[in-house]
Amino acid sequence: MFESFYYTSMLFKVTFVLYLVALLAYFVGTFAKGKIFGTIAISLFGIAFLSCTVLIVDRWIEAGRPPFKTFFESLIFAVWTISLVSIIAEQKFKVRLVGLLSALSIAGIFLYALTKRDVEIIALPPALQTWMFIPHVISYFLAYGALFVAGIGAVLFLVFPKGMASHHTLGEQSRIDFSVFTYQIAKLGFLFLTAGLLLGAWWGQSAWSNYWGWDPKENWALITWLIFAAYLHFRNIKSMDQKKLSWVVIIGVAAIIFTYLGMDYLPTANDSMHVYSNG
Amino acid sequence: MAANHTNRLQSNHGESHTNGSRGFKRVSYLLWLLILSGLVAQNSEVFLQKNGASEWVSLAAGFTVLAVFGVLFFKPVYKIIDTPHFAISSLLVIAVGTALGTFVSQTVPYEVFTERYGETGSAVLRFFQLDDVFHSWWYVSLYAALGLSLVKISLKKKLSRENIGFHLAHLSPIIILFGFWVDYFYGFRGIIQLEEGQAKNVVQVYDGHTNYLKDSTELPFSIQLDKFQFERHDPDYRLQIWRMEQEAHAQEISLHENQKPAKPEILASFPLELMKPRKIYGTDIRFRLTDFYPDFTFEYTYPDNIDTIEARDPGIQLELKTDFGDAALQLRANQPGRDKIADEGIVGAWMEFYWELPAELVAGLNKQPVDKKLAEVNRVIFAGNERRIYFLIDKKLTVEPLEPGKFYPIESKEGAGFTIFHLFPDAAHLQAIPTTKSEELNNPVAMVEIWNKTIPGSKQAYLYPGNAERRSGSFEIPGTPYFLALESFKDMETKFFKSDLTVLDKNGEAVHQQYVKVNEPMLYNGYRFYQTDYDPNRPTYSGIGVSHEPGLYVIYFGFFIMVAGIAQMFYGKTRKQEV
C-alpha cells in the first residue's frame, strides 16, 4: 500500500491528502457546534474536488485520451462524481452528515484504488476511440455518484427515521427528511442512469453493430435500472413503509456495485466486452 | 422546505389508491401464473417438436397454452395492470429473471451445457428455460405484460402540457420494444468474409438466439474489399522498475505448484526525462536516465596520426552491405577467430585482415596464375600496413588501395560490398562512442546511471526492449529483487483496422466507395457495414459485419423520448412545485 502510494503521481498524492483533510474537517464540522466548522469542511471538500478535477484533466492530457479506460481511472472518476453530487446535495439540503459519509467512502475508494494502480498508460482499442463513449461513461458515473449519495441518504433514513435538524445557513431550524433527500437525489441519478444506458446502446451499435447483446454487464445495467424504476413507482403507493423503500435503494446501490465490480464472478463474464481489462 | 417536498410527492400521484400488501399479493399471483403458462407453453412446443411434430403444429400448441391463459385471466389481469403494484412487481420480476440469465451460462452448445451442470442439473435448468432466458417465452411474456400495462396507463391518463413528460417516458418503452420486435423478425446481422480484391454478395447470418452463424442471405449488390490495413499504436518507451518475486517465496511456490516460474511484477514506470533522479521504494537505490538513443549504434573514432602508433593490436572497422541489411564488422589481426569471416554465402567472399601479410600468402598471390588452393574461394584480403586490399574473385586477382570512407563493391555478389571506417594499428586507441543513427525508434537504447547513497561511485547500464529476435536488455540491481527495464506497452494495442470497400451493382459496376473502421460503419441502401473481424495470420483478410435493422431509428427515437420524458417529468418547468 505504501509502496503503491509512493509511486503514484504528485497530483494523486495531493488529491488523496486533501480528501483526508476534508474528511477530518467533516468529523469536526458535523459534531462541533458553530456554523463555521461546517463551512470549513465543505470548503476543504470543494478544494479536494478541484484537485481531483485537475488530476483527471492532467491524466487526460498525459494519456492523450479520455481517462476512462482502466479500472483505476474509473475509480478516480467515481470519486469525482460522488464529490460533485455530494456538494450539490449538501448545498441544497444543508446537511453536513452526507458530506462526512461521502468523504469517508471516497477515502475508502482511494485506498482501494491504490491496490489497482495503473503503472502504465494503456492505449485505447479501436472500439473506444470515439467521442461516443465519453457521454456514455460520464452519464453512468454521474448516475452512479448520485445513486451512491442517494444510498447514503437511505442509510441515514434507517438510522434517523424521524429526520434530523439541518444546519441551515440562516440559522433557522428546519428538519430534513432523509426519505425525501433520497428520492430527490435518486431522481437525478435515474435520469443519468437512463441516459447512460441508452447512450451505451447507441454507441454499441456503432462499434459492434449491436445495440443490445445480452452481455452480462449490459444485463446488470438493466437490472439496476429496473430496480430504481421500481423504486420510483413505489412512491405512488401511499401506504408504503418508508423503511422498506430505503432498503430498495440500498439493494439498488448494491446492484450498482456488483455491476461495477462483480462481473468477474459470473460464469457468463468470459464473453463480456465490458469487464475491465486490468485486474 | 423539506416538508413541502413530502406534501408534493403525496399530492402528485393521487390516482392509484390500491392498498399496500394486498395489491402486491394479487399481482404476484397473476405474474406467477403468467410465468408458469410461458414455461408450459414453451415446454410443450419443445416436447412436440422432439417427438416429430412439425414446427407449425408445435408452435401452435405453445401459443394455444398462452392464449388459454390470456382468455382465462384477461379480466383480472387487465384490471390490475395499471396499478403501481403491477409496475413494481413486473419490473422487479424482470430484474430477477435477467439476473438468473447472468448466473447460468446462456446459449452454449447442448453438450457443453450438460457437462457444466450435470445430467439432472442441466435438465432442470432447461425445463425452466434458464439456458436461454432472454429468448424464453416466460421472459418475453413479462415484457409483453409490461408493454400492455404501459399502453393502458397512457390511454387512461389525459394528455396535457403538464404530463407530457409522463406520457413520453411511459410510451418510450413500448416504442423501443416495438423496434426491437421489428428487428428481431425483419432484420438480420451477419458477416461477409473477404480477401483483398474479392467481391461477395452472400452474407453469413447469425442466429438471433445464439449468435452462431446459421444460414446465409444475398444482398442486392456486392461488396468488394479493395484493401485492408491494420496498425498498432506508436511505441511509447518508458523506464520501468520491476521486482522479481522474493526468492524464498518463489521457492515455496515451486515446491507446492510444480515449479511455477517466478513472475516479475512491474512497480512503476516513468517517462524518458533526462537526468531526473528516481528512487526505488524501500531502498536507498537511485537511478537516472543519462541518455536515450532512438536508433542506437556505436561510432568509432581513432586518432589521426595513425602512422606514429605502434601496431600492437591492429584491426579494421567496416560496414558491410548485404542482402540482409547493413552490419558493423570489426576484424582484428592478432585475435584468432576475429581475424576473418568465412561466409561466402552472405558477403560473396571471405574477408581476412592482416597487418603484415604472411610470406606464404604473398607467394601464393604473386604466382601466375594465383595459387589454385588459395583461389578455391573468393577472398577479400586486407593488408593493413601496406594499405592495400587484394580482391581474389573468381580466381582473378585485383589490388586496390585501402581508403577509409570509400565504398568497395564485392563483384561476386550483387549488391554486396563494404565501407572502411577505420584502419587502426592499436585497438586500445579505438574508441566506441554510443550514438544514434536517426531519430526513428529503430533500435531504442536507454543509458541509466544507478547509484546508492552509501556506496560511492555509480554503475552504468544499457537498457533496451526485447523483440522477436532478441531478449530485452534489463539491469538487475545486485543484491536486490529489483530490475530496471526499457519497454513500451502502448504499441500492444491496435490503433485501427480499416477496410476500403467498393459497392458493385448487379453488372459489376462500382457504384459507391467508402472505407469502414471500428465505430465508422458504412450505410448503404438500408444495410450497415462494419469492421468486425481480422486475422493476424492473414493480413489480406477482413471480416465485414453486415446488419439490416429496419427498427433501428424507431429504437433511437424511443431512446430520445425516454430521456426527454423523464427529464421533463422530474424537472419540467410546468410543474410549479419545484422550489
Side-chain angles (χ1 to χ4, degrees):
Chain A
M1 193 76 92
F2 288 108
E3 185 177 43
S4 280
F5 183 73
Y6 178 83
Y7 287 126
T8 56
S9 69
M10 185 47 80
L11 263 171
F12 180 94
K13 289 186 184 108
V14 168
T15 308
F16 186 18
V17 169
L18 283 173
Y19 271 114
L20 288 181
V21 171
L23 174 61
L24 205 72
Y26 264 118
F27 263 116
V28 178
T30 310
F31 300 110
K33 277 190 179 165
K35 217 178 75 185
I36 183 73
F37 293 109
T39 312
I40 291 172
I42 192 168
S43 306
L44 287 171
F45 192 71
I47 292 169
F49 169 70
L50 287 180
S51 174
C52 189
T53 312
V54 176
L55 175 67
I56 290 167
V57 170
D58 177 72
R59 176 82 178 182
W60 194 318
I61 293 165
E62 193 194 356
R65 56 162 177 80
F68 310 135
K69 162 76 174 86
T70 66
F71 186 50
F72 175 73
E73 289 168 341
S74 77
L75 285 171
I76 301 302
F77 194 50
V79 165
W80 190 83
T81 56
I82 291 172
S83 311
L84 178 66
V85 176
S86 177
I87 289 170
I88 292 170
E90 186 173 326
Q91 283 310 85
K92 197 165 154 105
F93 291 89
K94 313 286 178 210
V95 57
R96 303 272 178 245
L97 202 50
V98 173
L100 172 67
L101 293 179
S102 295
L104 197 61
S105 315
I106 285 169
I109 294 172
F110 261 105
L111 288 178
Y112 182 58
L114 278 179
T115 69
K116 303 283 172 188
R117 180 179 56 100
D118 285 344
V119 176
E120 282 284 351
I121 289 179
I122 311 289
L124 291 185
L128 269 62
Q129 290 172 27
T130 168
W131 63 270
M132 286 166 84
F133 106 109
I134 301 172
H136 164 65
V137 174
I138 291 179
S139 291
Y140 252 117
F141 275 83
L142 283 173
Y144 284 2
L147 294 171
F148 187 81
V149 173
I152 289 177
V155 171
L156 286 175
F157 180 79
L158 292 176
V159 182
F160 305 105
K162 292 206 174 118
M164 200 185 197
S166 67
H167 294 243
H168 208 279
T169 39
L170 298 171
E172 269 170 50
Q173 284 291 307
S174 75
R175 294 193 81 73
I176 173 165
D177 178 345
F178 281 114
S179 71
V180 175
F181 173 89
T182 305
Y183 177 66
Q184 291 296 335
I185 305 293
K187 269 190 351 186
L188 182 71
F190 185 74
L191 178 62
F192 282 110
L193 194 69
T194 309
L197 183 69
L198 302 182
L199 284 166
W202 179 59
W203 166 39
Q205 176 68 29
S206 112
W208 296 285
S209 73
N210 205 355
Y211 47 81
W212 194 260
W214 300 109
D215 171 294
K217 190 111 179 177
E218 289 169 6
N219 289 332
W220 273 93
L222 177 65
I223 291 164
T224 52
W225 188 86
L226 290 165
I227 293 172
F228 283 103
Y231 164 74
L232 294 174
H233 285 85
F234 268 119
R235 306 290 310 191
N236 296 347
I237 302 172
K238 271 187 180 176
S239 55
M240 195 61 209
D241 180 358
Q242 291 295 323
K243 277 198 176 173
K244 277 185 191 157
L245 257 184
S246 295
W247 280 108
V248 176
V249 175
I250 292 166
I251 289 167
V253 173
I256 286 177
I257 294 172
F258 184 70
T259 310
Y260 186 30
L261 307 176
M263 292 300 105
D264 286 336
Y265 305 107
L266 290 174
T268 42
N270 294 339
D271 42 24
S272 171
M273 44 185 110
H274 290 89
V275 175
Y276 284 105
S277 50
N278 73 329
Chain B
M1 191 174 100
N4 286 344
H5 283 289
T6 329
N7 284 338
R8 179 170 88 69
L9 290 168
Q10 288 178 350
S11 60
N12 271 342
H13 305 283
E15 296 193 13
S16 314
H17 294 290
T18 329
N19 226 344
S21 55
R22 240 183 60 211
F24 280 118
K25 261 184 203 154
R26 232 169 29 163
V27 168
S28 52
Y29 166 72
L30 286 166
L31 280 176
W32 279 119
L33 268 178
L34 176 64
I35 291 171
L36 193 68
S37 313
L39 279 173
V40 172
Q42 195 170 0
N43 275 303
S44 358
E45 193 221 349
V46 170
F47 177 81
L48 283 173
Q49 209 159 39
K50 257 193 196 158
N51 289 284
S54 79
E55 205 177 311
W56 284 109
V57 171
S58 30
L59 205 63
F63 273 121
T64 311
V65 176
L66 276 181
V68 168
F69 170 85
V71 170
L72 280 180
F73 295 99
F74 182 77
K75 258 192 168 172
V77 167
Y78 196 74
K79 206 172 156 194
I80 57 142
I81 209 161
D82 57 347
T83 60
H85 305 79
F86 182 85
I88 292 159
S89 307
S90 55
L91 288 168
L92 291 179
V93 170
I94 292 175
V96 171
T98 310
L100 288 176
T102 68
F103 295 141
V104 180
S105 301
Q106 299 292 295
T107 62
V108 290
Y110 195 93
E111 303 75 37
V112 178
F113 193 80
T114 311
E115 200 188 318
R116 206 168 284 177
Y117 297 102
E119 283 290 337
T120 341
S122 57
V124 171
L125 290 173
R126 275 198 196 98
F127 176 80
F128 289 106
Q129 314 290 340
L130 291 178
D131 57 331
D132 188 8
V133 170
F134 308 116
H135 305 94
S136 69
W137 290 26
W138 65 263
Y139 188 75
V140 174
S141 304
L142 287 169
Y143 281 94
L146 190 64
L148 195 64
S149 120
L150 289 164
V151 170
K152 191 179 171 191
I153 285 170
S154 303
L155 290 176
K156 207 177 85 175
K157 194 153 182 159
K158 229 176 68 212
L159 185 67
S160 73
R161 252 186 70 188
E162 250 141 71
N163 60 27
I164 182 85
F166 175 93
H167 277 286
L168 291 179
H170 287 83
L171 272 172
S172 61
I174 305 173
I175 294 170
I176 294 169
L177 286 175
F178 175 74
F180 222 79
W181 180 80
V182 168
D183 282 353
Y184 188 76
F185 284 100
Y186 298 105
F188 68 82
R189 289 196 309 113
I191 189 168
I192 304 184
Q193 299 180 309
L194 290 167
E195 292 282 344
E196 274 182 11
Q198 214 176 14
K200 281 185 188 170
N201 71 334
V202 179
V203 182
Q204 294 172 274
V205 176
Y206 293 111
D207 184 297
H209 283 216
T210 56
N211 272 336
Y212 299 127
L213 291 171
K214 60 161 191 196
D215 53 22
S216 61
T217 186
E218 278 186 20
L219 299 177
F221 48 82
S222 299
I223 295 294
Q224 179 177 295
L225 175 67
D226 300 325
K227 195 177 159 79
F228 175 68
Q229 281 169 280
F230 158 55
E231 212 169 273
R232 292 194 186 280
H233 282 274
D234 293 334
D236 173 27
Y237 290 99
R238 290 166 71 98
L239 271 190
Q240 299 168 339
I241 306 175
W242 292 72
R243 176 170 50 209
M244 284 312 272
E245 250 173 70
Q246 303 280 303
E247 229 168 80
H249 186 56
Q251 272 172 3
E252 214 172 282
I253 287 175
S254 68
L255 281 175
H256 292 298
E257 290 181 43
N258 287 336
Q259 299 213 319
K260 226 179 179 177
K263 218 178 120 198
E265 176 196 6
I266 183 165
L267 300 176
S269 84
F270 308 99
L272 300 177
E273 288 172 76
L274 285 176
M275 303 315 270
K276 184 158 183 174
R278 317 270 185 193
K279 193 172 161 242
I280 298 179
Y281 177 80
T283 70
D284 61 351
I285 298 161
R286 281 149 214 269
F287 63 93
R288 64 182 180 187
L289 178 72
T290 50
D291 248 315
F292 178 70
Y293 311 96
D295 195 358
F296 183 83
T297 189
F298 280 115
E299 201 175 86
Y300 292 90
T301 63
Y302 199 79
D304 287 336
N305 52 344
I306 178 169
D307 294 327
T308 62
I309 296 170
E310 206 183 321
R312 272 194 214 149
D313 185 6
I316 193 166
Q317 180 72 32
L318 308 167
E319 188 178 58
L320 272 182
K321 203 175 174 61
T322 72
D323 288 349
F324 298 90
D326 298 350
L329 173 70
Q330 201 180 82
L331 296 172
R332 302 275 281 277
N334 297 351
Q335 296 191 13
R338 288 188 66 187
D339 56 344
K340 66 174 160 194
I341 55 161
D343 196 338
E344 225 184 332
I346 289 177
V347 196
W350 290 17
M351 306 191 82
E352 306 161 52
F353 177 74
Y354 302 92
W355 189 249
E356 299 282 359
L357 289 185
E360 68 269 22
L361 189 59
V362 177
L365 288 172
N366 285 340
K367 266 192 186 171
Q368 289 293 342
V370 179
D371 182 77
K372 251 192 185 170
K373 233 183 148 189
L374 209 59
E376 261 177 12
V377 289
N378 295 327
R379 290 164 190 266
V380 177
I381 300 164
F382 299 96
N385 201 18
E386 56 180 291
R387 309 261 147 82
R388 267 192 230 173
I389 311 173
Y390 296 84
F391 290 89
L392 184 52
I393 307 289
D394 296 333
K395 302 192 166 54
K396 266 171 52 192
L397 182 73
T398 43
V399 185
E400 292 200 33
L402 188 158
E403 287 172 41
K406 191 179 160 186
F407 177 74
Y408 297 88
I410 299 173
E411 307 292 346
S412 51
K413 184 102 182 168
E414 215 185 294
F418 57 87
T419 308
I420 297 164
F421 281 158
H422 292 285
L423 172 76
F424 51 88
D426 188 351
H429 292 269
L430 185 75
Q431 277 191 311
I433 299 164
T435 185
T436 188
K437 270 191 275 187
S438 69
E439 290 309 305
E440 268 155 58
L441 290 166
N442 294 328
N443 181 26
V445 170
M447 189 154 74
V448 289
E449 189 183 5
I450 302 120
W451 73 97
N452 187 321
K453 239 192 336 196
T454 52
I455 304 165
S458 63
K459 278 199 172 81
Q460 288 218 318
Y462 289 101
L463 309 177
Y464 49 86
N467 57 31
E469 285 110 48
R470 62 161 193 229
R471 285 185 57 193
S472 61
S474 56
F475 178 73
E476 286 174 37
I477 299 168
T480 73
Y482 300 103
F483 63 93
L484 304 176
L486 178 78
E487 291 288 350
S488 164
F489 284 3
K490 212 173 169 185
D491 45 333
M492 290 176 181
E493 195 62 74
T494 304
K495 194 172 179 188
F496 65 78
F497 306 102
K498 183 179 166 199
S499 295
D500 292 329
L501 301 179
T502 301
V503 180
L504 307 171
D505 68 8
K506 288 248 158 90
N507 310 318
E509 302 267 331
V511 285
H512 185 75
Q513 258 184 334
Q514 197 176 333
Y515 69 78
V516 293
K517 277 170 140 182
V518 178
N519 271 314
E520 291 177 51
M522 168 175 89
L523 178 62
Y524 186 79
N525 253 6
Y527 298 89
R528 284 184 169 74
F529 298 88
Y530 297 84
Q531 179 66 58
T532 42
D533 195 25
Y534 89 107
D535 183 346
N537 301 319
R538 275 159 71 198
T540 55
Y541 159 84
S542 175
I544 302 297
V546 184
S547 80
H548 180 56
E549 284 144 318
L552 190 62
Y553 288 113
V554 177
I555 289 171
Y556 285 169
F557 177 68
F559 285 0
F560 176 74
I561 67 166
M562 180 181 272
V563 177
I566 292 172
Q568 202 278 336
M569 215 175 138
F570 287 170
Y571 303 105
K573 276 200 182 120
T574 47
R575 298 202 138 178
K576 296 186 286 281
Q577 289 94 336
E578 284 293 342
V579 183

